[in-house]
Amino acid sequence: MPLEITRLEYLINRHFDELLTGEERAELERMLMESANARARFWEMARVNAVLRQWGQEEWGRKDGAQAPLRVLPSIPRAARIRTVHRSGEVPSTVNPWWPLAAAAVFVIGFFVWTYLPSQPVVTERGVAVLTHTSDVIWGRGSEGTKAGSVLQPGWLHVKSGVLQVEFSRGARVVLEGPADFCLTSNNSGELTRGRLSAVVPEPAHGFAVQTPRFTAVDHGTKFGCVVPASGAPELHVFGGLVGMLADGATKETRSLHANEAVRVEGDKVQAIPADARAFIDEEELALRDRNGLHERLVAWQGFSRDFSQHRDLLAYLDFQPSGDSARSMVNRAANAPAGSGAAIVGCDWAEGRWPGKGALEFKRTDDRVRMNAPGNFASLTFLAWVRVDGLPNRVNALVSGENTERLGETQWYVFGDGSLGIGVRTAERGKSTQWWHAHSAPIFKGNTLGTWTFVATVFDRTTNKLTHYVNGQAVSTTAINIEPLLELGTMEIGNLGSHDGSAREVGNFEGRVDEVAVLSTALNAGEIRRIYEAGSPGEARSPGVVAQAN
Amino acid sequence: MSSETPVQPDQVAHVQGLFVQHLPALRGFVLALVSDFSLVDDIVQETFLTVTAKAADFERDTNFRAWAWTIARYKTLQLLKKRPALTSHFAEDVVEALCAHDASQDWKTEEMLQQLTKCVTELAPKARQAIELRYMQAHRPPEIARSMGWTVDAVHVALSRARVFLRDCLNRSLAATA
């Protein structure tokens, strides 16, 4: 069900998010002063906001407690820590004449929270970090298919080569250079058994710990690096702030390292060595590599896209490259495009696509859509799209939907509410008990796949009577076609369920971004689908399997 | 001034105990008026100090909530006067009007928290991530936008939808358990 938000709710929400402009604040204040009903609505939302904050604080406390064994150095006094978690980058207030009382209050409050916690913690699947960047990563066994944007659960990352960045949910950011084996042990700690790692630890993540075979480094802020060679002695380099080191098996900090200090740990011997920041790839360098690599891929894709637009069977080909920030239409780039088949943009905002510099449309409102004509009836069809699914608000979340003509053969291509890729074809008139033929894949968009750029393709092939769904160039499901009607799109819609005469229809808007769509009147084969995926892949990590096929 | 009269230690402990009991609701009340989390902490802390200092004024078996809320409202207004340039809070007359509303004291935080914990698990993963960054990590939307690779507007839309979803889920759950 769509969540409609009224103007009053919108302004109240902006108040809670600290986003109100002066004008908006004045408008909200006016509404609140004039209407008791508005004040009641305000308190209703305020209670949700308040109980969410309480939930957040308790969850934070619960997580902090759960990882206590890893937090070997409780270096910050409890009371002060409670203050420091509230805002990253904010300096806690220091001198306070009421400090003893405040500390007592924090103790009492802490006791209350502790006694209040339910005895059975709620078990839910939750990430401890996000993979934010990858540069030429080839994954090792067990980590294949991990993509930039993925939410990471506790567990190992095996990297054969390349560089990646992980952002822990407590705020620490780690750049890891392959070959490497790194285990995420909690939202503020990891274990490095091989490889080279640099970490930036902002204030809320103080206490961030990296365990190696010889020592554990515990950061008190702000920047350090670890090297664990495949054979040889591991090293710890500190570039800023203070890092505590615990020898293997020790429970107390055995040594503190300040900025520009480094040690090599060989057996029981700890030897001072010069700190070498240049030996580590830092965030800026990774970002630069990332940009350069992505730009190369963008240029390569542009060449491919020009050639692909000449495909004689293309009915529609939209590359989502806006002619200006305010462009409200797109050219159908298909060489044999029917006359009058340009696309009209309704509602959607322009956004960044799968590469920096590549356009995309963001679909978030229930009425956002792109409309274009694709006249004709077709025995076979191929649908291709690069999408970033951000959420699945509806039962049907339309990718490409034919006009709502209620004629046999009306076709819809969509992501189903459970995350599966689906197609539906009308096989009977309204009123019949079964009106649609459907073919769905297993759920694709869930957990890690949400929020990442994904290539989806569906081929309705009447020559083989098979319907095949593809995800990132690989076939994921095949269904026998046992229906008669020819397929029809008419005035089709991208990102929404097609309308005909403005009549009401089930809400089926897509939520996320789309940055390339093609519809062909014939069936492409598996090899063609894979080549289109490889030419358009945004350059995220590839598994060795895919690399081998590409070569 | 009665706060200068000797106070029985058990009276202070009693008042502090009540404060702790009502703390989640009190914090929520202040959070409604001042959306900046760290300012809320300052006000709650100031309220605790005043409640402790004026423990002798509180008559047992009267409405602690009304008493503490008055102090919190006063502390909020005091802070707003000190920081008129801040945009994260309302004008004084609006605070007064909001506090005069019956609903300002109607909090069933324990029940709500229990239900909310269940409702949060029903959020889509990205919405949940935004909610966690906002309410667990205390990040503001621009920081969340950076960390999720979204625009600030997209973060705001996600948070707003999540809150409306959670409100509806809470209302349903509370109605079902009523």
Side-chain angles (χ1 to χ4, degrees):
Chain A
M1 205 184 90
L3 296 166
E4 296 296 346
I5 293 181
T6 63
R7 177 72 183 165
L8 175 67
E9 283 171 341
Y10 170 82
L11 293 172
I12 293 172
N13 275 294
R14 285 183 73 81
H15 165 65
F16 293 139
D17 286 339
E18 300 173 61
L19 290 172
L20 281 179
T21 62
E23 277 175 18
E24 286 173 337
R25 179 165 299 281
E27 185 184 351
L28 176 59
E29 288 183 337
R30 211 166 36 247
M31 285 175 164
L32 293 173
M33 290 301 281
E34 286 169 2
S35 157
N37 194 29
R39 292 195 286 276
R41 304 289 290 183
F42 172 86
W43 283 114
E44 190 185 31
M45 288 307 292
R47 277 193 289 273
V48 176
N49 186 51
V51 80
L52 263 168
R53 177 63 178 142
Q54 190 190 350
W55 165 84
Q57 289 180 305
E58 294 195 6
E59 282 290 296
W60 187 90
R62 197 198 315 271
K63 279 188 164 183
D64 202 39
Q67 67 179 39
L70 289 160
R71 189 181 292 276
V72 282
L73 289 171
S75 57
I76 307 166
R78 185 83 195 143
R81 257 216 344 246
I82 285 182
R83 291 186 63 77
T84 56
V85 298
H86 291 311
R87 180 81 59 226
S88 60
E90 184 179 90
V91 180
S93 56
T94 48
V95 183
N96 185 338
W98 293 99
W99 186 247
L101 263 180
V106 167
F107 172 78
V108 176
I109 293 161
F111 177 76
F112 169 75
V113 168
W114 181 79
T115 51
Y116 179 75
L117 289 180
S119 54
Q120 293 293 318
V122 178
V123 180
T124 55
E125 194 186 326
R126 175 176 300 166
V128 293
V130 176
L131 181 64
T132 43
H133 289 280
T134 57
S135 173
D136 296 326
V137 168
I138 294 183
W139 293 109
R141 190 182 292 274
S143 298
E144 299 95 335
T146 315
K147 293 179 119 199
S150 295
V151 175
L152 301 173
Q153 304 295 326
W156 287 94
L157 289 175
H158 300 288
V159 185
K160 286 193 167 179
S161 65
V163 186
L164 57 89
Q165 185 184 42
V166 171
E167 205 164 296
F168 283 82
S169 51
R170 281 280 298 279
R173 301 188 300 277
V174 159
V175 174
L176 186 67
E177 293 171 57
D181 298 298
F182 182 59
C183 182
L184 288 81
T185 49
S186 79
N187 64 2
N188 208 32
S189 63
E191 181 182 353
L192 182 70
T193 55
R194 182 174 64 134
R196 191 177 284 271
L197 162 160
S198 67
V200 175
V201 184
E203 194 173 305
H206 282 189
F208 175 70
V210 175
Q211 189 184 345
T212 75
R214 291 267 169 245
F215 60 83
T216 300
V218 182
D219 191 287
H220 304 309
T222 54
K223 206 170 170 185
F224 72 97
C226 283
V227 188
V228 179
S231 61
E235 295 173 7
L236 173 60
H237 296 242
V238 178
F239 310 124
L242 179 69
V243 175
M245 193 180 84
L246 284 84
D248 188 26
T251 52
K252 282 192 180 166
E253 210 169 318
T254 45
R255 187 166 182 147
S256 293
L257 275 75
H258 294 88
N260 301 316
E261 290 183 340
V263 291
R264 178 179 295 135
V265 183
E266 202 153 17
D268 295 339
K269 277 199 304 193
V270 180
Q271 179 195 352
I273 56 170
D276 185 3
R278 284 170 306 174
F280 295 84
I281 293 177
D282 64 9
E283 294 178 326
E284 290 76 26
E285 192 179 338
L286 176 61
L288 189 66
R289 278 188 182 206
D290 217 12
R291 262 200 306 279
N292 292 343
L294 293 179
H295 183 69
E296 280 171 25
R297 284 176 197 271
L298 172 60
V299 171
W301 168 79
Q302 283 166 339
F304 173 86
S305 169
R306 268 193 300 277
D307 294 345
F308 181 62
S309 68
Q310 300 305 307
H311 198 296
R312 62 190 165 85
D313 298 327
L314 272 173
L315 291 170
Y317 181 41
L318 301 179
D319 63 2
F320 292 74
Q321 289 292 60
S323 50
D325 287 346
S326 56
R328 301 317 291 167
S329 63
M330 278 184 285
V331 175
N332 180 358
R333 292 191 52 222
N336 298 326
S341 65
I345 300 165
V346 184
C348 320
D349 296 322
W350 284 104
E352 188 170 85
R354 59 197 198 269
W355 294 285
K358 163 92 185 73
L361 282 178
E362 175 140 20
F363 296 76
K364 56 188 175 196
R365 290 170 288 260
T366 51
D367 287 329
D368 287 352
R369 62 189 71 213
V370 171
R371 286 168 64 80
M372 66 189 296
N373 285 324
N377 295 88
F378 311 99
S380 296
L381 277 180
T382 298
F383 293 96
L384 310 170
W386 274 99
V387 297
R388 195 187 81 181
V389 180
D390 291 340
L392 296 166
N394 305 308
R395 192 179 69 90
V396 170
N397 305 273
L399 294 168
V400 175
S401 162
E403 190 174 352
N404 181 19
T405 57
E406 302 203 349
R407 282 199 290 267
L408 305 193
E410 181 190 336
T411 302
Q412 295 176 350
W413 185 43
Y414 51 83
V415 180
F416 199 61
D418 64 356
S420 58
L421 185 58
I423 193 166
V425 180
R426 181 181 277 281
T427 55
E429 290 88 5
R430 183 192 281 272
K432 295 280 168 58
S433 59
T434 306
Q435 298 173 39
W436 291 82
W437 175 84
H438 295 284
H440 287 191
S441 71
I444 307 293
F445 295 97
K446 55 178 185 178
N448 287 355
T449 335
L450 287 171
T452 65
W453 282 103
T454 306
F455 180 67
V456 285
T458 293
V459 180
F460 186 100
D461 185 353
R462 195 89 68 166
T463 59
T464 59
N465 273 331
K466 279 183 183 158
L467 181 288
T468 310
H469 289 301
Y470 295 84
V471 174
N472 291 335
Q474 304 285 341
V476 292
S477 78
T478 302
T479 308
I481 296 171
N482 54 5
I483 55 167
E484 298 297 329
L486 291 177
L487 309 185
E488 187 180 29
L489 294 168
T491 303
M492 67 178 188
E493 299 206 347
I494 295 164
N496 222 317
L497 283 180
S499 54
H500 179 46
D501 49 6
S503 53
R505 189 170 189 175
E506 175 186 354
V507 173
N509 61 301
F510 175 78
E511 186 173 303
R513 291 184 186 182
V514 177
D515 84 346
E516 194 176 355
V517 168
V519 182
L520 295 95
S521 58
T522 50
L524 297 187
N525 65 36
E528 290 167 314
I529 299 279
R530 197 175 60 234
R531 274 194 292 282
I532 294 168
Y533 162 68
E534 282 162 4
S537 175
E540 287 164 354
R542 292 174 295 173
S543 69
V546 173
V547 174
Q549 287 161 10
N551 293 339
Chain B
M1 221 164 91
S2 54
S3 58
E4 289 166 358
T5 58
V7 183
Q8 295 298 317
D10 66 332
Q11 173 71 359
V12 174
H14 174 69
V15 166
Q16 287 184 343
L18 286 171
F19 183 88
V20 168
Q21 192 187 328
H22 291 280
L23 178 66
L26 182 97
R27 180 184 288 280
F29 168 72
V30 179
L31 186 60
L33 306 173
V34 181
S35 41
D36 181 315
F37 292 165
S38 48
L39 281 185
V40 171
D41 288 345
D42 290 348
I43 293 170
V44 170
Q45 188 167 310
E46 288 285 322
T47 307
F48 175 79
L49 297 175
T50 304
V51 162
T52 304
K54 292 183 174 291
D57 287 359
F58 177 67
E59 291 171 31
R60 290 192 183 211
D61 303 323
T62 61
N63 189 345
F64 176 82
R65 191 171 267 216
W67 183 62
W69 258 236
T70 307
I71 295 173
R73 192 187 69 199
Y74 174 73
K75 290 290 168 194
T76 304
L77 289 171
Q78 219 177 18
L79 182 123
L80 301 194
K81 271 188 197 143
K82 269 194 253 169
R83 305 192 189 197
L86 288 178
T87 54
S88 59
H89 56 70
F90 292 118
E92 223 175 300
D93 53 342
V94 180
V95 172
E96 295 286 8
L98 284 170
C99 292
H101 198 277
D102 290 346
S104 71
Q105 280 206 41
D106 178 23
W107 302 82
K108 296 187 185 88
T109 54
E110 291 190 23
E111 262 178 275
M112 284 181 79
L113 184 65
Q114 278 177 8
Q115 298 302 336
L116 181 91
T117 307
K118 289 180 199 151
C119 293
V120 166
T121 62
E122 292 172 24
L123 287 173
K126 283 283 169 187
R128 173 126 171 219
Q129 193 187 345
I131 285 284
E132 287 187 355
L133 287 167
R134 178 75 183 127
Y135 291 98
M136 279 174 66
Q137 310 278 340
H139 288 320
R140 291 189 171 103
E143 294 168 288
I144 300 172
R146 272 197 299 282
S147 115
M148 294 181 74
W150 289 7
T151 60
V152 174
D153 267 354
V155 169
H156 173 66
V157 168
L159 287 172
S160 304
R161 281 188 171 199
R163 278 188 291 252
V164 171
F165 171 84
L166 292 170
R167 178 198 63 193
D168 295 346
C169 177
L170 273 173
N171 287 344
R172 272 197 310 276
S173 320
L174 294 172
T177 55

